[in-house]
C-alpha cells in the first residue's frame, strides 16, 4: 500500500471515528449521559452536541408536504431530522409572528380562492423587488387562519398538491408549544431553527420582528444559550439585534457572493457577501453569532455548465473564526442538483442526491438544510461509515 493510500485510509478511519463520536455525543445529551465532542470542538451542551453533520429539515420535510405546515414539520421529525426549520417568521397586521416562506402568500396559500380578500391583492417593493400579491402584514391573524397552505412549487412537486388545504398557517407561538409537545411525545429534545424574514422591511412598517421574537422566546423560557432554538437571518444587523435581546445561538445567512444584504443596502454599507466570507468578515460575524448559513455555491462553486468545481476555503476559514456552517439547500430533484449529479432528462426526477451529499459533506460542513431529511440522514450514514 502506497503512502498516499495509507494516509487517506487513516484520515477516513479518523473521520468515521470522530463523526461517530459526535453522533453518540448527541445521543448522550438526550439521555442525560456525557457527550463526546468532535476534535477541535468545545465541550458543552446546546447546539454543539447535535449530531454532525447536522440534518436540518428545510421548512419541515418540504420535499413531501407543503412547507411550513405542522404536517411538514412532524414528517421531518418522523424521518429523523435533527433540527426542523420551523418558521420563516413574518408578522400579521395585528403583530403576531406566523410561519410563511415570504410575506407574499399568493403562492403558499389558497388566498386567491377567497373572494373576500380579492381587494387585498397589491404591489409592493420588497427589499427592492417589485412584488405583487397578498401580504401577511395586510391581514389579521384571524383572517389568515381562514386560509389553508398549498404546495409552493406544484410544477416540480405535483404529488405534494395532494395535501393542499389540509393545514392552516401556524403561528410561531403555536410552533413553540408544538416543540414542547413533540419533545414529550418523542422522549428527546426537538430543536427548531426559525428565520427572521425581511426584518428591515418590517421595522419600517412599525412591525419590528426581533423584539416580538425575543418576547415569545422569553415567555416560553427558550431565550438562553443552550435553548433548543437557533435563530437565523440574511440581515447581519438583525442578528446583532438578537444578540442583545436573547442568549440563543445565532447564524447569519449568506446568499451569492456578489449580493448585498438588504440592511447593508438600506444603510449604505458597501460590503457584499464576498466581503463577509473573507477571514476579517467572518471574524466580525463571530463577534455576535455562532454560525453562518451560506448558499452551497459558497462552499463549492459551479462552472458555466452547472458542474461543481473546486471547494473554496470558506469551511476552513469559518472554523478558524470559531463558526459552524449550515449551508442551504439540498434537494433530490435534478433541477436543484449540480449538473454532474443529475440523472436522465426529466428535471423533476431524482438525481444522484447521495453523491452530491457526499461531496458537500467531504468539505467539512457542520450540517445542511434539506427538503428531504430522510435522504440526508442516509447520506450521513454512508459518509460516517465510509
Amino acid at each position: 500500500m502506497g503512502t498516499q493510500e495509507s494516509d487517506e485510509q487513516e484520515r477516513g478511519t479518523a473521520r468515521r471515528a470522530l463523526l461517530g463520536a459526535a453522533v453518540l455525543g448527541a445521543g448522550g445529551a438526550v439521555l442525560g449521559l456525557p457527550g463526546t465532542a468532535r476534535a477541535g470542538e468545545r465541550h458543552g451542551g446546546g447546539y454543539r452536541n447535535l449530531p454532525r453533520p447536522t440534518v436540518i429539515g428545510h421548512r419541515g420535510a418540504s420535499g413531501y408536504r407543503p412547507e411550513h405546515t405542522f404536517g411538514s414539520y412532524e414528517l421531518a421529525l418522523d424521518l429523523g431530522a435533527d433540527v426542523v426549520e420551523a418558521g420563516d417568521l413574518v408578522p400579521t397586521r395585528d403583530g403576531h409572528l406566523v410561519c410563511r416562506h415570504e410575506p407574499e402568500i399568493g403562492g403558499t396559500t389558497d388566498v386567491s380562492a377567497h373572494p373576500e380578500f380579492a381587494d387585498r391583492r397589491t404591489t409592493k417593493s420588497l427589499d427592492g423587488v417589485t412584488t405583487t400579491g397578498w401580504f401577511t402584514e395586510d391581514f389579521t391573524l384571524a383572517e389568515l387562519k381562514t386560509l389553508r397552505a398549498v404546495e409552493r412549487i406544484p410544477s416540480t412537486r405535483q404529488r405534494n398538491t395532494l395535501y393542499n388545504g389540509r393545514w392552516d398557517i401556524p403561528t410561531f407561538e403555536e410552533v413553540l408549544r408544538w416543540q414542547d409537545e413533540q419533545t414529550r411525545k418523542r422522549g428527546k429534545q426537538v430543536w427548531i431553527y426559525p428565520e427572521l424574514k425581511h426584518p428591515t422591511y418590517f421595522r419600517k412598517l412599525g412591525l419590528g420582528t426581533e423584539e416580538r421574537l425575543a418576547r415569545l422566546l422569553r415567555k416560553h423560557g427558550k431565550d438562553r444559550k443552550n435553548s433548543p432554538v437557533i435563530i437565523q437571518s440574511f440581515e447581519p444587523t438583525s442578528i446583532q439585534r438578537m444578540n442583545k435581546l436573547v442568549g440563543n445561538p445565532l447564524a447569519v445567512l449568506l446568499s451569492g457572493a456578489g449580493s448585498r444584504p438588504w440592511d447593508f443596502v438600506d444603510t449604505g454599507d458597501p460590503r457584499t457577501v464576498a466581503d463577509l466570507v473573507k477571514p476579517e468578515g467572518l471574524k466580525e460575524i463571530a463577534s455576535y453569532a455562532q454560525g453562518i448559513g451560506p448558499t452551497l455555491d459558497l462552499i463549492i462553486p459551479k462552472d458555466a455548465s452547472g458542474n461543481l468545481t473546486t471547494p473554496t476555503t470558506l469551511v476552513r476559514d469559518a472554523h478558524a473564526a470559531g463558526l459552524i456552517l449550515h449551508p442551504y439547500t439540498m434537494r433530490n430533484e435534478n433541477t436543484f442538483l449540480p449538473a454532474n449529479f443529475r440523472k436522465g432528462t426529466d428535471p423533476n426526477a431524482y438525481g444522484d442526491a447521495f453523491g452530491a451529499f457526499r461531496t458537500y459533506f467531504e468539505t467539512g460542513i457542520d450540517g445542511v438544510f434539506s427538503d428531504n431529511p430522510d435522504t440526508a440522514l442516509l447520506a450521513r450514514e454512508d459518509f460516517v461509515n465510509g
Side-chain angles (χ1 to χ4, degrees):
M1 184 180 292
T3 302
Q4 181 178 0
E5 186 177 355
S6 299
D7 290 345
E8 290 175 354
Q9 185 181 53
E10 290 175 6
R11 285 195 296 268
T13 301
R15 180 190 68 189
R16 291 192 293 273
L18 292 168
L19 287 168
V23 173
L24 290 172
V30 169
L31 297 171
L33 302 172
T36 303
R38 193 174 62 167
E41 181 179 311
R42 293 199 308 269
H43 290 267
Y47 71 96
R48 289 191 177 275
N49 271 354
L50 288 167
R52 305 286 183 93
T54 306
V55 172
I56 304 156
H58 186 235
R59 306 172 197 160
S62 54
Y64 312 112
R65 300 289 188 273
E67 64 192 30
H68 287 313
T69 61
F70 282 120
S72 183
Y73 297 161
E74 290 192 18
L75 182 57
L77 294 179
D78 291 343
L79 295 174
D82 304 311
V83 183
V84 180
E85 189 192 29
D88 283 342
L89 304 182
V90 292
T92 65
R93 187 172 68 196
D94 47 349
H96 296 275
L97 292 179
V98 296
C99 305
R100 287 292 84 194
H101 172 46
E102 290 287 339
E104 198 291 299
I105 56 173
T108 61
T109 74
D110 62 355
V111 64
S112 63
H114 285 251
E116 68 273 25
F117 298 135
D119 63 349
R120 306 281 177 94
R121 190 171 188 268
T122 187
T123 299
K124 301 188 181 190
S125 178
L126 184 60
D127 291 2
V129 178
T130 300
T131 306
T132 298
W134 292 263
F135 295 80
T136 60
E137 66 267 24
D138 296 330
F139 291 78
T140 65
L141 178 60
E143 289 172 332
L144 282 181
K145 282 293 187 179
T146 67
L147 307 181
R148 291 296 179 267
V150 301
E151 171 57 37
R152 184 176 61 87
I153 46 173
S155 59
T156 299
R157 294 174 173 166
Q158 192 276 331
R159 290 184 177 87
N160 291 12
T161 64
L162 173 67
Y163 305 98
N164 284 355
R166 183 166 289 270
W167 296 287
D168 68 3
I169 298 173
T171 69
F172 188 60
E173 185 154 30
E174 289 171 341
V175 165
L176 292 172
R177 295 191 185 110
W178 168 86
Q179 180 186 23
D180 291 338
E181 292 168 1
Q182 293 297 314
T183 295
R184 289 191 296 269
K185 174 182 175 182
R186 297 171 189 270
K188 64 177 182 179
Q189 180 61 62
V190 169
W191 280 73
I192 59 174
Y193 210 138
E195 177 188 343
L196 287 162
K197 303 291 290 196
H198 307 287
T200 293
Y201 169 81
F202 286 118
R203 196 176 305 116
K204 290 189 173 184
L205 295 178
L207 291 168
T209 51
E210 295 95 346
E211 294 77 14
R212 284 174 167 80
L213 174 56
R215 283 197 296 270
L216 284 173
L217 292 173
R218 285 195 293 269
K219 176 181 176 181
H220 289 266
K222 299 179 181 181
D223 61 331
R224 305 180 182 98
K225 176 183 177 181
N226 289 334
S227 294
V229 183
I230 307 170
I231 301 163
Q232 56 182 331
S233 176
F234 278 101
E235 296 190 13
T237 58
S238 181
I239 294 300
Q240 290 173 12
R241 281 173 177 263
M242 291 306 303
N243 185 47
K244 296 176 180 178
L245 292 169
V246 296
N248 298 70
L250 307 171
V252 174
L253 294 167
L254 300 168
S255 190
S259 66
R260 289 170 68 198
W262 182 251
D263 53 336
F264 284 15
V265 175
D266 184 68
T267 59
D269 189 326
R271 290 177 297 168
T272 66
V273 168
D275 296 307
L276 296 180
V277 297
K278 293 177 180 177
E280 56 269 30
L282 295 168
K283 182 178 180 181
E284 179 187 335
I285 291 174
S287 69
Y288 58 84
Q290 287 67 49
I292 57 173
T295 177
L296 286 165
D297 287 348
L298 291 175
I299 305 294
I300 311 179
K302 298 186 185 79
D303 63 20
S305 299
N307 296 298
L308 293 184
T309 60
T310 303
T312 67
T313 63
L314 179 56
V315 174
R316 182 190 69 198
D317 295 341
H319 284 165
L323 295 165
I324 61 170
L325 299 93
H326 291 158
Y328 66 93
T329 305
M330 274 297 299
R331 301 174 169 103
N332 288 358
E333 293 91 353
N334 279 325
T335 191
F336 300 118
L337 288 169
N340 43 325
F341 292 100
R342 296 171 189 161
K343 297 172 70 174
T345 58
D346 181 356
N348 299 329
Y350 282 5
D352 180 16
F354 289 118
F357 271 112
R358 180 175 61 251
T359 301
Y360 288 116
F361 285 161
E362 286 174 346
T363 66
I365 59 175
D366 300 283
V368 67
F369 288 82
S370 178
D371 289 10
N372 310 90
D374 52 340
T375 307
L377 285 159
L378 285 171
R380 180 175 73 190
E381 182 180 347
D382 292 345
F383 178 66
V384 169
N385 294 328

